[in-house]
Amino acid sequence: MGDHRAPVDDYITFERVSEAAHRLPAPYLLAKDLPHTLQDQMNRLPAMYRKTQEAVSIFEASIREISAIDDPGAPPISIINPIEDDDEATPPWEFSYTNSIWHGEDVPAPDLKSLKGCNCHGVCNPKSKSCACVKKQSEWYEDENRQPGFAYHTSKSMQGRLQQPGRQYPIFECNDFCGCDDACGNRVVQHGRKCEVNIVKTKQKGWGVFAGPKRIPAGSFIGKYTGELLGDPVSEERGRKYNVFGRTYLFDVDGYQIGKTLGMAEGEYDAAYTIDAYHAGNAIPQNHSCEPNCMILCCYINEGDIERPLLTIFSMVDIEPNEELSFSYSGAPDDTEVEAAVRITSAVYAKCCCGAPSCKGIMFK
């Protein structure tokens, strides 16, 4: 009998699979394909139907259905309006609930060709000297007293929480081209939301996001700022339209690491991309506070383009059960901005009602 073993060149290795995957088209969603049938149908109904408990059940069910696809395992979200004599049963039926990013037609596909992964097996060792992901994350730490390794704690009691909650730095998670498995401690955002949250109506600030019945520890992943990813020209055009009615959900993707990577001095980089959460989003973006308990960090997973991170929300401090979640919509407005907000009726500034001791009195809507 002859030797029927396959030649060495025919063996499948991780490196070969990864190399082939880099050449495949990147899967992504297009904003023009956003579903809107349910929203259109609800808006066609008489207003009285949108004020019923049945409308609340439909809204919650739509969130569960979408989450089962793009955020499986996430705790269910309840819609709550505790305000007496307020008959708005749900947030407006203006957008499609989603936990994904939908690319505008002017936005290229995700960059997989320049995306690099580690060659670790099992789970990554945060003290590794050879792990490509450890090296990448370490490039962005400036605190020499920090613990080594990734942005996250990997100990059992603190696993998945930020090592330095409240500090601004980009997060580089392991990706689909890494050799490590799903149990790796550097895979947090990609595993979805674990914290319980609810959408609750407030007296002065409209609908907001509140913690559920459990305390949320500092450094916990809350969710992503999702919606349409737009190029600069399209976002500028939408911004002008939104300014007319004084409301915007545009969030520029302009983390400091982008300009630094591109060789620009601090303050020189103008965002090439913007997230618009008006037509599509996940309601995780919370109300503004001048003393927020959450913050937004840029996170890279399956995207090699430094200009296109995910915008992710983490708790900065311990958040008590049923406490409102908030982040700062913008930096402190200067005198010129305050004066302009008073003069220009189409400005997207408003009186701030956050109630913080250091409240600046004005906020970007």
Side-chain angles (χ1 to χ4, degrees):
M1 296 180 63
D3 189 347
H4 296 289
R5 290 177 297 178
V8 174
D9 288 345
D10 291 341
Y11 283 120
I12 296 175
T13 64
F14 170 77
E15 289 75 14
R16 290 185 175 183
V17 172
S18 179
E19 182 182 350
H22 273 87
R23 295 196 295 266
L24 294 175
Y28 65 103
L29 300 170
L30 292 173
K32 66 182 182 67
D33 297 328
L34 271 165
H36 52 82
T37 303
L38 174 62
Q39 292 73 23
D40 292 347
Q41 183 61 37
M42 291 299 296
N43 282 321
R44 289 192 190 101
L45 296 174
M48 60 178 292
Y49 288 104
R50 294 194 296 273
K51 298 177 181 180
T52 64
Q53 186 59 41
E54 285 74 16
V56 175
S57 298
I58 293 172
F59 203 108
E60 292 175 344
S62 68
I63 293 176
R64 289 196 301 272
E65 183 177 38
I66 295 299
S67 295
I69 298 171
D70 59 15
D71 197 8
I77 294 176
S78 296
I79 309 298
I80 303 170
N81 185 350
I83 302 174
E84 295 183 7
D85 301 322
D86 186 303
D87 60 0
E88 187 179 28
T90 70
W93 292 88
E94 295 176 337
F95 72 105
S96 300
Y97 185 91
T98 180
N99 292 296
S100 301
I101 298 297
W102 297 72
H103 286 55
E105 294 187 31
D106 61 335
V107 179
D111 175 17
L112 299 186
K113 291 184 178 179
S114 62
L115 185 64
K116 294 181 173 58
C118 64
N119 294 321
C120 302
H121 299 285
V123 299
C124 294
N125 180 355
K127 297 181 180 180
S128 172
K129 302 296 184 182
S130 60
C131 176
C133 297
V134 170
K135 292 179 180 179
K136 187 65 175 178
Q137 187 66 63
S138 297
E139 293 174 8
W140 296 99
Y141 277 125
E142 298 178 357
D143 184 358
E144 295 180 355
N145 296 319
R146 66 170 182 84
Q147 296 183 30
F150 301 117
Y152 309 114
H153 286 285
T154 54
S155 63
K156 189 173 181 180
S157 61
M158 301 281 285
Q159 189 167 12
R161 300 183 205 169
L162 294 174
Q163 288 198 41
Q164 298 174 308
R167 294 284 299 275
Q168 276 285 355
Y169 52 83
I171 299 170
F172 293 88
E173 291 199 359
C174 290
N175 57 64
D176 286 353
F177 299 110
C178 290
C180 59
D181 58 35
D182 283 346
C184 176
N186 195 36
R187 299 179 185 269
V188 175
V189 170
Q190 60 196 267
H191 286 328
R193 175 176 58 86
K194 306 301 180 188
C195 298
E196 294 184 54
V197 298
N198 295 314
I199 301 174
V200 181
K201 183 72 179 288
T202 65
K203 282 188 177 181
Q204 293 183 302
K205 296 179 288 183
W207 293 92
V209 178
F210 285 67
K214 296 181 180 179
R215 178 172 168 270
I216 300 176
S220 298
F221 171 58
I222 303 293
K224 296 179 289 188
Y225 194 104
T226 61
E228 296 178 78
L229 181 63
L230 308 174
D232 184 61
V234 176
S235 66
E236 287 291 334
E237 180 183 352
R238 289 196 186 182
R240 287 190 291 270
K241 292 179 180 178
Y242 292 161
N243 285 354
V244 173
F245 56 89
R247 192 71 176 176
T248 181
Y249 291 88
L250 296 173
F251 200 114
D252 287 342
V253 182
D254 58 358
Y256 76 94
Q257 78 283 352
I258 299 175
K260 187 174 180 180
T261 300
L262 298 177
M264 298 180 180
E266 185 176 355
E268 284 187 354
Y269 177 73
D270 291 325
Y273 299 101
T274 298
I275 296 290
D276 184 0
Y278 183 81
H279 299 284
N282 59 4
I284 292 301
Q286 308 99 336
N287 277 326
H288 164 83
S289 176
C290 296
E291 294 182 14
N293 52 20
C294 297
M295 69 186 301
I296 288 186
L297 295 176
C298 293
C299 177
Y300 297 87
I301 306 176
N302 292 316
E303 175 61 78
D305 186 347
I306 194 69
E307 294 191 272
R308 287 187 281 172
L310 293 171
L311 300 181
T312 57
I313 303 172
F314 285 83
S315 58
M316 299 169 60
V317 296
D318 292 340
I319 299 175
E320 297 304 316
N322 305 312
E323 181 181 347
E324 183 177 13
L325 308 183
S326 62
F327 66 88
S328 176
Y329 285 4
S330 63
D334 57 28
D335 293 340
T336 302
E337 289 178 312
V338 174
E339 291 172 5
V342 173
R343 293 197 313 269
I344 304 173
T345 56
S346 64
V348 289
Y349 286 99
K351 178 183 177 182
C352 182
C353 301
C354 73
S358 63
C359 179
K360 302 175 183 69
I362 189 173
M363 59 168 278
F364 185 73
K365 280 187 181 180

